[in-house]
Amino acid sequence: MTVLLLVIPLIGFILVNIPPPGNLRKFLIACPLLLSVTQVALMLFPRAGWWNGFDVGRFFLPFLRVDGVSMLMLLAIGLVVFASSVVSIALIKDARQQYNFINLVLLSLLGMNGIVMVTDLFSLYVFLEIVSVCSFILIALQREREMFEGAFKYIFLSAIATILMLTSTGILFMYAGGTSFAALAGAISSHQANSMVIFSVILFLIGLFIKGGIVPFHGWLPDAYSASAAPVSILLAGIVTKVSGVYTLIRLVTEVFGATPKTNQVLLFVGALSIVVGALAALGQKDFKRMLAYSSISQVGYIILSLGAGSPLGVAGAIFHLFNHTIFKAQLFMNATAVEVQTGKRDLDSMGGFASRMPITGTTSIIAFLSAAGIPPLAGFWSKLVILIALLKSGHHVYMVIAVLASLLTLAYFLTLQRKVFFGELAPEHEHVKEAGWLLTAPALAFTIIIIATGLALPFLYNTIILPIGSFL
Amino acid sequence: MTLTHLLLFLLMLTGLYAVLSTSLIKAAIGLAAVSAILTMLMFTMNSPLAAVFELSVCAGLITVVFVSVISLTKPSAPGEQSDTEPHHYLKYAPLLVIGALLCWAMQYFLGDAPLSTISVSAGPDVRIALWTLRRTDIFAQLAVLFVGVYGVIVLFKELKHD
């Protein structure tokens, strides 16, 4: 099964680039859609179907493994790629740009699937590069000045991250004699006091902080998210940075570097800093997408904070919030896209009263922001509750208080956003505004259902999925 | 000064030339020189397999890709570059800081904890290394190659026709 998730996107890419006769080429637009739906089905029903017969992953491609955490991330990848592809059909009208987008999404899908399945540090780096290079090109895809600026900032910081991670891999390779997670974990635990090993772990962590857009390495993220085309920003904000920065950090800290007290202190501090700085910066934004970008930085801070708790419950909370954040942030970007497409504006001060004209977008946006702010019984509330309990049980009371107070900031900036965009009086120039087409509203509705269903089904999910995930520590 | 020290010094010099050069062609040539010197370093460190790959892929293939990309972009008009980017030496200032930091870090870390590395042998057979041990990387590098080529086509080739 594992090998198919890597080979099929590559075959898809090759097929898309072999010019078929006649009008057959326009059907290739469905290629990422079909693959993402298949991936979602595979992850929801892993034991059913014919694909179990193809379990040749370890023979064909070594260093691959799919566990509970990988499956949850593969599910999130499938969902966001699906949403982004549907939105691209509505928004990218130019045939050549649509074709370029499909190709890059296919390769990006391959890279992200590789990141979540691989168990070797060097292979992980190669898959990270696939995703990064795809992201640079996707951000600049429509070749506008603002897009090039966003892409350039991402390339610049990403190059620094690459240098740090490669240097770290080289140093660790000297000590372990290999780059598999198991060999590295053994070498790091037996050289815990060695300064070079500590130095290399710090280098890798900084590289991942840059990739995840975590404060103080977040400079590229607001520009990249807000400058890129709508389907690209959904993909970037929804899953790309989550997989390449945050998931990788969780996986390496728990499985390779080890959750030592020093590492936990760094994670707690950086997580709390991200939460507060991201939320305060979001409060001051006038641009819809930039506010969501800063909100993303803040929410990722919660994930890092939970990881820093250093307990299985903390890891479970981090992964649960990572999944929830992927869903509600992708949805909020879909809502921002719908508003921008229908009004041509992103400036919050020039909006207002759109809820009466765009009822589906307004309602789905409110549910997503309530989930982000941690209001019960939505999914975001439960993941934040797990994070707070993990911090409380591990004795980090100060950080728990910071997390609770920052939740009020989240509520404040999202309430500001809702009031400015959807509530209040409709300006006369917006009388013509109407609901976005079904290609924009249908994925948003589907994601809203996931948010509500995850929240309501928590008693079932907690014992069957969330706690077993945390136990892999 | 040993051969390794000399090669490391040349490596840094050519690297700086590649990064600080204002001409794209000169930067690409500088990068090729970096790869060539790195190849020599790898040979001196008993890693012929890595050296051959560095020479063929980085010094060869990548230079060809860079030169192809540069040929696809519009050349700037004579004198345009000097107008937009005046020569000032402040840009070299961070190098002193980086150099000092590196010296401090190497002295501190190497002095504090001597390396206890596992000795690296000449390495396994090429076929085993590529097709058995690192098969996943080969597969992923194929995808990286596709992305790189696709990026060149998307971002640079169309610019020429605009």
Side-chain angles (χ1 to χ4, degrees):
Chain A
M1 183 180 84
T2 52
V3 73
L4 291 180
L5 296 172
L6 295 180
V7 171
I8 293 177
L10 192 68
I11 293 172
F13 172 82
I14 293 165
L15 286 178
V16 167
N17 283 283
I18 298 171
N23 289 328
L24 199 60
R25 195 165 175 163
K26 68 173 70 165
F27 292 105
L28 292 171
I29 207 169
C31 203
L33 282 174
L34 280 174
L35 283 181
S36 53
V37 169
T38 309
Q39 186 159 321
V40 170
L42 262 166
M43 293 309 120
L44 289 175
F45 309 103
R47 305 232 170 264
W50 50 270
W51 47 79
N52 280 321
F54 286 85
D55 197 10
V56 289
R58 284 180 191 176
F59 170 73
F60 186 67
L61 295 174
F63 318 130
L64 294 179
R65 170 209 45 196
V66 176
D67 57 12
V69 186
S70 312
M71 287 181 76
L72 197 65
M73 289 316 297
L74 288 168
L75 176 67
I77 292 167
L79 287 168
V80 178
V81 168
F82 176 77
S84 172
S85 305
V86 171
V87 171
S88 78
I89 296 170
L91 297 186
I92 303 179
K93 297 295 181 193
D94 182 75
R96 183 182 285 186
Q97 280 184 5
Q98 177 68 267
Y99 176 70
N100 290 338
F101 179 80
I102 290 166
N103 276 306
L104 291 165
V105 164
L106 285 172
L107 290 172
S108 204
L109 180 70
L110 184 159
M112 288 190 284
N113 286 349
I115 289 171
V116 298
M117 292 193 295
V118 84
T119 59
D120 181 275
L121 202 63
F122 186 76
S123 301
L124 175 74
Y125 158 75
V126 182
F127 283 111
L128 276 171
E129 280 302 291
I130 297 174
V131 177
S132 298
V133 181
C134 281
S135 302
F136 308 149
I137 306 164
L138 278 169
I139 293 168
L141 193 63
Q142 291 176 323
R143 293 186 287 125
E144 288 172 14
R145 189 182 174 83
E146 192 190 16
M147 294 172 173
F148 278 122
E149 189 184 333
F152 184 76
K153 281 184 183 171
Y154 188 26
I155 290 173
F156 187 76
L157 278 167
S158 201
I160 295 172
T162 299
I163 292 166
L164 296 177
M165 290 193 288
L166 267 182
T167 308
S168 169
T169 308
I171 296 169
L172 291 175
F173 176 66
M174 287 198 300
Y175 284 87
T179 50
S180 71
F181 285 178
L184 290 172
I188 290 170
S189 65
S190 59
H191 293 88
Q192 269 187 351
N194 189 305
S195 302
M196 278 302 272
V197 171
I198 295 169
F199 180 61
S200 62
V201 169
I202 291 169
L203 286 185
F204 213 101
L205 286 179
I206 294 172
L208 292 177
F209 288 162
I210 294 173
K211 292 271 182 196
I214 296 159
V215 177
F217 309 101
H218 63 290
W220 63 270
L221 192 139
D223 287 310
Y225 282 12
S226 59
S228 48
V232 179
S233 53
I234 293 167
L235 195 70
L236 279 179
I239 198 72
V240 168
T241 48
K242 309 298 172 292
V243 167
S244 54
V246 186
Y247 165 82
T248 315
L249 182 70
I250 296 173
R251 178 66 84 180
L252 291 180
V253 166
T254 50
E255 206 170 312
V256 180
F257 300 151
T260 61
K262 276 183 186 172
T263 314
N264 290 339
Q265 281 303 321
V266 171
L267 293 173
L268 285 166
F269 178 75
V270 170
L273 192 69
S274 278
I275 292 173
V276 177
V277 172
L280 288 174
L283 266 174
Q285 295 305 312
K286 303 285 181 202
D287 182 289
F288 200 155
K289 281 169 103 175
R290 283 187 85 85
M291 183 181 267
L292 294 181
Y294 279 106
S295 151
S296 202
I297 293 168
S298 180
Q299 295 301 315
V300 166
Y302 280 97
I303 299 166
I304 308 299
L305 195 68
S306 185
L307 184 64
S311 62
L313 192 65
V315 176
I319 291 163
F320 189 27
H321 197 63
L322 177 59
F323 179 79
N324 287 338
H325 179 232
T326 298
I327 302 298
F328 65 65
K329 195 44 57 79
Q331 198 208 300
L332 282 166
F333 268 92
M334 279 187 261
N335 297 137
T337 303
V339 171
E340 191 183 355
V341 167
Q342 297 306 103
T343 65
K345 289 175 181 170
R346 272 177 18 202
D347 180 22
L348 295 174
D349 290 335
S350 63
M351 297 181 185
F354 293 154
S356 59
R357 290 286 186 271
M358 305 175 72
I360 299 174
T361 305
T363 311
T364 52
S365 171
I366 288 169
I367 290 169
F369 110 73
L370 288 174
S371 181
I375 305 295
L378 299 168
F381 166 75
W382 299 113
S383 53
K384 283 193 176 176
L385 187 67
V386 174
I387 292 170
L388 294 179
I389 293 170
L391 288 169
L392 186 71
K393 281 191 170 178
S394 56
H396 302 295
H397 299 112
V398 176
Y399 287 110
M400 194 196 79
V401 172
I402 292 172
V404 172
L405 292 176
S407 247
L408 298 176
L409 283 176
T410 310
L411 197 63
Y413 67 72
F414 271 129
L415 274 176
T416 310
L417 188 143
Q418 292 295 323
R419 186 176 57 77
K420 285 186 173 177
V421 179
F422 294 105
F423 303 144
E425 283 187 22
L426 190 73
E429 75 257 31
H430 294 139
E431 284 294 336
H432 68 281
V433 170
K434 56 181 183 179
E435 185 58 88
W438 68 271
L439 284 171
L440 282 171
T441 52
L445 272 172
F447 276 48
T448 304
I449 292 167
I450 294 170
I451 291 170
I452 297 170
T454 310
L456 295 177
L458 188 94
F460 167 73
L461 297 176
Y462 190 73
N463 286 320
T464 53
I465 295 177
I466 299 165
L467 283 183
I469 277 174
S471 66
F472 88 92
L473 182 75
Chain B
M1 183 184 271
T2 62
L3 179 65
T4 308
H5 287 121
L6 181 70
L7 288 173
L8 280 171
F9 176 73
L10 285 174
L11 190 75
M12 213 169 90
L13 214 63
T14 46
L16 285 174
Y17 177 75
V19 174
L20 295 173
S21 178
T22 50
S23 157
L24 285 174
I25 287 281
K26 283 179 186 169
I29 292 166
L31 197 66
V34 169
S35 292
I37 295 165
L38 195 59
T39 302
M40 291 182 230
L41 259 175
M42 284 169 173
F43 270 118
T44 62
M45 296 170 102
N46 198 23
S47 301
L49 181 59
V52 168
F53 269 88
E54 179 66 30
L55 193 66
S56 59
V57 178
C58 295
L61 182 68
I62 301 294
T63 308
V64 170
V65 171
F66 274 135
V67 172
S68 314
V69 172
I70 294 162
S71 71
L72 289 170
T73 58
K74 287 178 189 171
S76 56
E80 192 182 312
Q81 223 160 32
S82 58
D83 289 343
T84 52
E85 198 172 335
H87 287 289
H88 55 82
Y89 295 95
L90 272 178
K91 63 185 177 186
Y92 299 101
L95 291 175
L96 292 173
V97 181
I98 293 168
L101 273 174
L102 273 175
C103 290
W104 172 80
M106 293 312 288
Q107 189 185 357
Y108 174 77
F109 284 109
L110 294 178
D112 181 50
L115 288 174
S116 60
T117 55
I118 293 168
S119 60
V120 179
S121 66
D125 180 62
V126 181
R127 285 167 301 176
I128 295 169
L130 287 182
W131 304 117
T132 307
L133 298 176
R134 310 306 306 184
R135 199 186 296 148
T136 311
D137 299 339
I138 298 291
F139 175 83
Q141 300 240 6
L142 185 69
V144 173
L145 191 74
F146 280 144
V147 181
V149 170
Y150 206 78
V152 169
I153 293 167
V154 170
L155 296 177
F156 294 98
K157 195 168 190 309
E158 290 174 11
L159 278 177
K160 198 183 178 186
H161 304 295
D162 288 346

